[in-house]
Amino acid sequence: IVEDTIYISGDIGEDLVIFALDLNGKEKWRTTNGNAWKKSHPGSRCSGCYDDGRLYFMNAHGRLACLNAVDGKEIWAVGILETFESKNITWGISESLLVDERAVFVTPVGKQALMAALDKKTGKTLWTTPALPDEQVTYSSPILVELGGKRQLISCGTKTVFGVDSVTGALLWQHPHVIPGWVVGASPVYADGSVYISNSTKDIGRVYRLRIDGDTPEIAWTAEMGDTYAGNVVCVNNMVFGSRKSNLKGW
């Protein structure tokens, strides 16, 4: 929601549709961003990101579109999977985008880039982070934090959690984060120099605190937390909370 406009998306027929509504639910405009997701669990996935009069949105097939937030007209679009030689995953690309002063960030985890920054005005590539061997794109979204005097992006592949310099794209650190089945649905959570990562695997779910110190992160502790499958853990007032998908459902 931005001022008096609600931006929301959904699939209609063959199309991924983005809507702008006023606060009473009246439609201001609608536009499309490529094809709908017809495979397992149909529907829209990613949240849009508003910045300086523009709306950024990525569909489940990796099509990133920049729209004029006033009328929905497309300004530019980039196929992330094709551009960075990545492959889609079982339930479709689900990354919600991050935008800063000059760039929109994506995590294609492809042969040509682990992460990438695109000029938010033109869609042109500003930098790429070199690929990590045998990594694959996940369902999680990156976060942007300031740590050690640097603004860094923190995100996950299917085997690794990593930090990337938001200005240069340099890989600052990485740490193993291997989950049987390779389903990473939760985003990292940052608090007080540490990153909290949840393992979404059924029956062996856990959360661990990864203390970030330069390029040599280390695990401070690990605790059981069920199968925090698709939602994040959260850190509030020095307490870490998570919820289970099956068996003992709830917080």
Side-chain angles (χ1 to χ4, degrees), residues 70-203:
V70 174
D71 55 18
K73 291 183 178 179
E74 186 170 285
I75 299 171
W76 56 261
V78 174
I80 298 303
L81 302 183
E82 298 82 2
T83 300
F84 301 108
E85 295 186 42
S86 183
K87 295 181 180 180
N88 211 330
I89 42 184
T90 303
W91 296 291
I93 298 299
S94 303
E95 178 180 5
S96 296
L97 300 167
L98 268 178
V99 179
D100 74 353
E101 289 86 353
R102 64 170 186 153
V104 51
F105 303 107
V106 291
T107 317
V109 195
K111 293 181 180 179
Q112 297 301 318
L114 176 67
M115 293 197 74
L118 308 181
D119 187 302
K120 68 181 186 181
K121 294 183 178 180
T122 65
K124 293 183 178 179
T125 302
L126 298 174
W127 56 249
T128 58
T129 306
L132 289 177
D134 301 321
E135 269 292 13
Q136 295 183 31
V137 66
T138 71
Y139 304 97
S140 63
S141 300
I143 59 175
L144 180 61
V145 305
E146 186 168 335
L147 184 60
K150 292 183 178 180
R151 298 178 76 215
Q152 60 177 271
L153 300 147
I154 302 176
S155 193
C156 294
T158 55
K159 299 179 180 179
T160 315
V161 56
F162 50 83
V164 169
D165 189 306
S166 67
V167 177
T168 67
L171 183 65
L172 300 174
W173 56 268
Q174 58 180 300
H175 193 277
H177 180 50
V178 179
I179 295 178
W182 293 5
V183 180
V184 181
S187 298
V189 174
Y190 175 81
D192 298 328
S194 294
V195 175
Y196 297 89
I197 303 291
S198 57
N199 182 320
S200 60
T201 304
K202 184 177 180 180
D203 299 327

